Amino acid sequence: MPPDLAVEEAVIRLGGGVKAIDRQHEKGRLTARERVAKLLDADTAWLELGLWAAWDMYREWGGAPSAGVVTGIGTVSGRRVMVIANDATVKAGAFFPMTAKKVLRAQRIALENRLPLVYLVDSAGVFLPLQDEVFPDEDDFGRIFRNNAVISAAGVPQFAAIMGNCVAGGGYLPVLCDTLLMIEGSGLYLAGPALVKAAIGQVVDHETLGGAAMHAAISGTIDYREKDDATCLERLRRLVDQLPAPPSPGTAPPGHSNPNFSSFVGNGEYEVRDLLTLLLDAGAPFDEYKAEYGQSLVCGFGRFGGMPVGVVANQKRRVKPADGPVQFGGVIYVDSADKAARFVMDCNQLRVPLLFVQNVNGFMVGRDSEQAGIIRAGAKLVNVISNSVVPKVTLITGGSFGAGNYALCGKAFDPRFILAWPTARYAVMGGDQAAGTLLDIQVQALKRAGKAPDAAELADLRDKVKASYEAQTDVRYAAARLWVDGIVHPEETRAALLTCLEVATRYDDGRPFKTGVLQV
């Protein structure tokens, strides 16, 4: 990973900073990341999700590193689980708008993949200055509690441990879970002592109002009262160990030894089959589908960790069809869209999960393409991906522009996981094209106001427009808003995808594959 990203990641993992970590330790409590580390089995993989959430956001409030919550998939007592841990070093674990969205994303992944959830709760509730952006909507704070109830009804186990503050509406999260632990010194109540006094004039201390002893012996709300973080995490591990034992995993076939991804990074041309060779199981055949047709998309069946997988990947070198002009890499043409749509349908018929490898500029434009039916072909591809019932995982290695993002299973099309390389770019169109369009709009507006810019002003304006636009295409901008679940270094890609596919293929709800009307 480029040094600047590595340094930034290290800073993000400090949460609220060294002083805030020290304050947490002075209370006799571990930080969120320390808790997660002690909860997980030793020497097992941890796939963190949403590390970059809220990056460069909420500056006026001092920022919210990683949105003040740690989420990811790890192994506890031999079982894969989703962990959601409030980071009390970031504004006392209060919920910013992106905090709620990050928790909702983790809950969705857990429900779709039938992953048990473990919540490590230490939160002051809603961040009040932004309550209007956190509280009311269907993708806000309350949806978390709705999801708790739905997840429980679906039979997905949920464990919650109150390890600090748990106040106001946030109190519903642990109580809506199946199993509830609480550490001494923590607090669980709808309103704290000060608010109770202001609201009804009652004077009551913290422990009497909502301490662990009260909830264990009087209200009966909690299932287990624990002395401290260590005993609580030990109990959690034992409780997770009561879940049905997973099947003994076989040894995953190896990937390519010493893979070198350098030729696939950047904007140059390359043969995408060479990239797939490094990602897929070494030595396993890749059965390419319609290899001589629609060559700007490569489709085929391969193996990933021994699991069958259908791959749809952008070809990044120019190709010459049997009939017609040269086609450019990273562009979706009518024939490639038709081929990919048909291949996705085959994968659904065979119940084979799909891996999309995106490095796409968009669909081909122009008179010839329109007359050949590019919109019809693109709509067909979008239709079958929208209605796919098999798990979908998306990897963005370079550009992810415009309708190409949609047609190759961008975030709006429900991939179980979506990962990106540090070189990925995410936008409605490329920087040069967008800068030209936006510049024209601004120049016309200036002319209407009687302020036509001269050549120097025009150049300066263009540079500003392009810089502003390209800042928004930075993959960190996308990751901050959870448009991708994680930024992964190319050399770490195979390991991350193995975890994603292992998790995504653990459950099949048996829905039949159907499509809407396909334009032909």
Side-chain angles (χ1 to χ4, degrees):
M1 184 170 290
D4 58 334
L5 284 188
V7 170
E8 283 189 271
E9 284 194 348
V11 173
I12 290 171
R13 290 191 173 96
L14 286 175
V18 174
K19 290 183 179 179
I21 292 172
D22 290 342
R23 287 195 296 271
Q24 184 78 348
H25 290 164
E26 288 167 4
K27 297 175 184 177
R29 297 174 183 169
L30 300 173
T31 67
R33 293 184 182 279
E34 290 168 340
R35 288 167 175 166
V36 171
K38 286 187 174 292
L39 175 68
L40 300 179
D41 293 351
D43 301 319
T44 58
W46 162 248
L47 179 63
E48 183 161 356
L49 304 172
L51 173 67
W52 289 83
W55 172 79
D56 206 31
M57 298 172 68
Y58 312 122
R59 289 184 179 183
E60 64 274 35
W61 305 108
S66 213
V69 63
V70 177
T71 64
I73 296 170
T75 303
V76 176
S77 300
R79 282 80 170 167
R80 289 281 197 188
V81 301
M82 173 67 76
V83 181
I84 300 174
N86 299 114
D87 187 348
T89 71
V90 179
K91 303 294 189 296
F95 274 68
F96 285 75
M98 290 308 302
T99 315
K101 290 172 175 54
K102 183 171 174 179
V103 172
L104 290 172
R105 176 63 178 159
Q107 287 182 320
R108 177 171 183 169
I109 290 171
L111 178 59
E112 288 180 335
N113 299 293
R114 297 307 192 263
L115 275 174
L117 284 120
V118 177
Y119 302 89
L120 306 181
V121 182
D122 192 351
S123 171
V126 168
F127 185 66
L128 287 178
L130 296 175
Q131 65 84 27
D132 61 319
E133 299 178 44
V134 182
F135 170 69
D137 212 343
E138 64 183 19
D139 60 349
D140 287 340
F141 196 51
R143 188 75 170 188
I144 294 171
F145 315 137
R146 176 264 185 196
N147 285 355
N148 288 134
V150 170
I151 291 168
S152 182
V156 179
Q158 295 179 95
F159 303 86
I162 300 173
M163 308 182 80
N165 290 317
C166 186
V167 301
Y172 288 111
L173 184 153
V175 180
L176 282 163
C177 291
D178 309 320
T179 304
L180 178 53
L181 300 79
M182 187 172 180
I183 291 175
E184 292 174 6
S186 300
L188 170 64
Y189 32 65
L190 292 180
L195 185 54
V196 167
K197 182 178 180 180
I200 63 174
Q202 187 178 76
V203 178
V204 60
D205 65 78
H206 163 87
E207 285 295 331
T208 302
L209 184 64
M214 189 281 287
H215 282 304
I218 299 176
S219 78
T221 300
I222 66 173
D223 303 312
Y224 301 94
R225 175 159 66 112
E226 304 298 338
K227 179 182 178 182
D228 53 27
D229 281 27
T231 59
C232 182
L233 294 169
E234 288 171 8
R235 174 95 70 178
L236 269 174
R237 289 181 50 79
R238 294 197 299 274
L239 291 171
V240 172
D241 196 31
Q242 303 306 312
L243 297 175
S248 298
T251 302
H256 196 282
S257 59
N258 301 316
N260 182 356
F261 290 90
S262 60
S263 59
F264 310 112
V265 175
N267 298 319
E269 292 192 358
Y270 59 80
E271 170 57 70
V272 74
R273 295 177 184 87
D274 294 339
L275 172 59
L276 296 180
T277 297
L278 299 185
L279 294 177
L280 297 171
D281 292 350
F286 180 66
D287 294 306
E288 188 169 348
Y289 179 80
K290 296 184 187 287
E292 298 168 89
Y293 179 77
Q295 298 174 64
S296 73
L297 283 175
V298 171
C299 304
F301 294 103
R303 292 272 167 174
F304 215 112
M307 299 175 284
V309 64
V311 179
V312 180
N314 292 109
Q315 178 59 276
K316 283 301 292 180
R317 64 175 179 85
R318 280 167 283 191
V319 295
K320 180 66 172 72
D323 181 22
V326 168
Q327 295 181 348
F328 294 95
V331 178
I332 303 175
Y333 292 81
V334 172
D335 54 355
S336 52
D338 278 337
K339 177 177 82 170
R342 182 68 176 79
F343 178 72
V344 169
M345 295 174 76
D346 271 9
C347 290
N348 276 272
Q349 288 294 96
L350 298 170
R351 311 301 281 200
V352 173
L354 282 156
L355 170 64
F356 295 87
V357 182
Q358 282 195 21
N359 192 346
V360 58
N361 296 325
F363 285 86
M364 188 59 187
V365 298
R367 181 194 61 198
D368 294 344
S369 187
E370 297 290 358
Q371 291 181 357
I374 189 65
I375 296 177
R376 168 192 54 76
K380 183 190 301 184
L381 181 53
V382 167
N383 194 319
V384 298
I385 289 175
S386 300
N387 287 294
S388 287
V389 295
V390 297
K392 299 171 296 205
V393 176
T394 300
L395 170 68
I396 304 172
T397 62
S400 181
F401 295 121
N405 168 279
Y406 300 159
L408 297 180
C409 201
K411 181 67 183 294
F413 291 82
D414 299 330
R416 297 286 185 92
F417 298 91
I418 180 167
L419 305 176
W421 283 2
T423 48
R425 291 293 180 269
Y426 221 109
V428 72
M429 65 177 72
D432 288 332
Q433 302 96 314
T437 303
L438 292 168
L439 182 64
D440 287 344
I441 292 171
Q442 292 198 22
V443 168
Q444 292 303 319
L446 288 170
K447 286 180 177 178
R448 286 194 297 271
K451 301 176 182 177
D454 60 28
E457 291 172 329
L458 196 61
D460 183 58
L461 185 58
R462 180 182 179 83
D463 289 343
K464 288 180 179 178
V465 167
K466 186 175 181 180
S468 175
Y469 186 84
E470 290 196 339
Q472 295 180 18
T473 71
D474 188 316
V475 70
R476 293 171 296 180
Y477 188 95
R481 290 151 182 81
L482 301 178
W483 300 342
V484 299
D485 293 314
I487 302 174
V488 296
H489 189 275
E491 279 72 23
E492 298 168 350
T493 306
R494 178 173 161 84
L497 288 176
L498 278 170
T499 299
C500 292
L501 285 165
E502 177 194 329
V503 168
T505 54
R506 58 183 280 135
Y507 175 76
D508 184 341
D509 63 8
R511 282 182 296 146
F513 174 56
K514 302 176 183 179
T515 69
V517 173
L518 298 179
Q519 300 291 341
V520 297

